[in-house]
Amino acid sequence: MAPARLATRSDYESLVDRFDTFLFDCDGVIWNGAAVVPNAPAALEMLRRRGKRLVFVTNNSAKSRRDYVAKFARLGIQASADEIFSSAYATAVYLRDVAKFDPAKKAYVVGGSGIRQELEDVGISTIGHEDTAPVSLESLHEVVPDPDVGAVICGIDYDISYRKLAHAHVNLAENRDCLFIATNDDRTLPGGKHMYPGSGALLSVLTHSTQRAPLVMGKPNPPMVECVVQSLRLDPDRSCMVGDRLDTDVLFGIRGGLRTLCVLTGVADEAAILAPGAPAASYYMASLGDLAELGG
Ligand code: PLP
Ligand code: CA
């Protein structure tokens, strides 16, 4: 079925009545980088006043859930850590609960503090290389597999370096038991006016050099779907995923058996939403902020 455009107050009322739980992608729906989407906080508040359950699902592994709580607060939105599912958190939960990661081992992180904090919070020690010392072929002789490394975790890393990639590579290439996990594989990262390489692009260095395929946690992949749907015991028929991207958010919702709402404040435009063969959103509307007109 073609996605239904929601544009009137009565469309919005029916949407809100139809669901008990709304899952929100963050960037492109609630904010764009540091800027809040106009009226999105009021729309979320309206949903809370009407007793809806709100869940926030982001592929961005740069921040921990604690950082996200602070970001929501700064934007005037009330949200608690247990409502937030980031790809970094899903990675930590997966390692602890599904992979039963040996607590005596360490995770080598190609990524930032968001990943390290989430892993440490579930009791997994992390290592990485932050130094910026020059690299030469001779200095690479010090880069050897570490028997204590049980997993290499790859996410967005704004300080990616050859040294880090070399450490990750030798652990993965020379120890087939070392787990290879990517927080997400977004091809691009929305940077306001321009798109930049996403963590999936950084990941491609390691998939190419090691010829290994990582387990990818983030939307639209099954581990994130399972992490959210199972830990919240969602009733898929009464839950709606709201996103701005068809290849991550809408596909994530479809795979989780949820209805989906695509907004036009981020990556997808109307032509992309209506294009034949695109992941089919159930609904689309201009902006989450438009729901604020429902008031109480
Ligand atoms: N990954 C990174 C590093 C980002 O900066 C962003 C958006 O800013 C994303 C992923 C996508 O985040 P979301 O899933 O909230 O749209
Ligand atoms: Ca998004």
Side-chain angles (χ1 to χ4, degrees):
M1 251 204 335
R5 183 176 176 107
L6 309 181
T8 65
R9 200 185 161 96
S10 92
D11 292 341
Y12 304 155
E13 285 287 4
S14 318
L15 176 86
V16 172
D17 284 349
R18 170 76 182 73
F19 300 104
D20 301 323
T21 301
F22 288 89
L23 299 92
F24 294 95
D25 163 57
C26 296
D27 194 86
V29 173
I30 298 171
W31 58 67
N32 278 298
V36 74
V37 167
N39 294 327
L44 295 171
E45 216 172 286
M46 176 278 295
L47 291 170
R48 280 201 195 279
R49 272 199 306 274
R50 293 183 180 207
K52 306 296 174 182
R53 176 153 68 156
L54 310 188
V55 184
F56 304 98
V57 189
T58 178
N59 267 5
N60 189 347
S61 65
K63 290 183 166 59
S64 67
R65 293 191 304 162
R66 274 182 272 164
D67 297 330
Y68 277 117
V69 169
K71 174 162 185 172
F72 277 102
R74 249 191 337 269
L75 298 177
I77 301 164
Q78 178 233 325
S80 59
D82 58 7
E83 294 173 324
I84 300 168
F85 288 79
S86 70
S87 60
Y89 173 66
T91 300
V93 170
Y94 176 87
L95 275 177
R96 184 193 59 193
D97 296 348
V98 183
K100 311 278 185 216
F101 191 73
D102 178 354
K105 297 258 183 191
K106 293 175 188 160
Y108 188 90
V109 177
V110 179
S113 62
I115 300 173
R116 286 201 303 277
Q117 209 170 85
E118 293 297 351
L119 292 174
E120 307 267 345
D121 281 356
V122 301
I124 296 172
S125 311
T126 64
I127 54 168
H129 287 85
E130 301 310 317
D131 59 295
T132 51
V135 175
S136 64
L137 188 55
E138 293 71 42
S139 69
L140 284 177
H141 294 156
E142 293 158 19
V143 178
V144 292
D146 180 342
D148 290 339
V149 168
V152 168
I153 313 298
C154 190
I156 191 69
D157 190 333
Y158 297 121
D159 299 307
I160 192 139
S161 69
Y162 193 87
R163 189 186 308 280
K164 286 188 205 179
L165 291 168
H167 277 278
H169 173 91
V170 289
N171 282 297
L172 290 170
E174 298 188 33
N175 179 4
R176 306 307 284 189
D177 292 332
C178 179
L179 300 173
F180 185 15
I181 298 185
T183 57
N184 61 309
D185 63 357
D186 293 36
R187 189 172 60 80
T188 52
L189 175 161
K193 275 196 188 145
H194 304 281
M195 299 295 265
Y196 300 107
S199 51
L202 309 186
L203 182 66
S204 67
V205 174
L206 290 172
T207 56
H208 193 53
S209 69
T210 64
Q211 294 291 295
R212 286 187 59 175
L215 178 70
V216 184
M217 300 300 305
K219 298 172 288 181
N221 298 291
M224 188 84 155
V225 179
E226 284 155 21
C227 183
V228 175
V229 172
Q230 285 173 15
S231 49
L232 297 177
R233 298 174 193 280
L234 287 187
D235 173 358
D237 190 52
R238 297 285 300 166
S239 305
C240 182
M241 173 72 199
V242 185
D244 70 304
R245 205 161 168 155
L246 301 168
D247 59 344
T248 54
D249 307 320
V250 170
L251 199 52
F252 168 86
I254 292 170
R255 288 180 175 170
L258 318 175
R259 302 295 152 86
T260 58
L261 165 64
C262 195
V263 294
L264 300 174
T265 44
V267 172
D269 58 16
E270 189 170 23
I273 292 168
L274 298 177
S282 320
Y283 317 98
Y284 70 104
M285 65 188 287
S287 169
L288 169 63
D290 294 345
L291 292 183
E293 75 173 64
L294 293 184

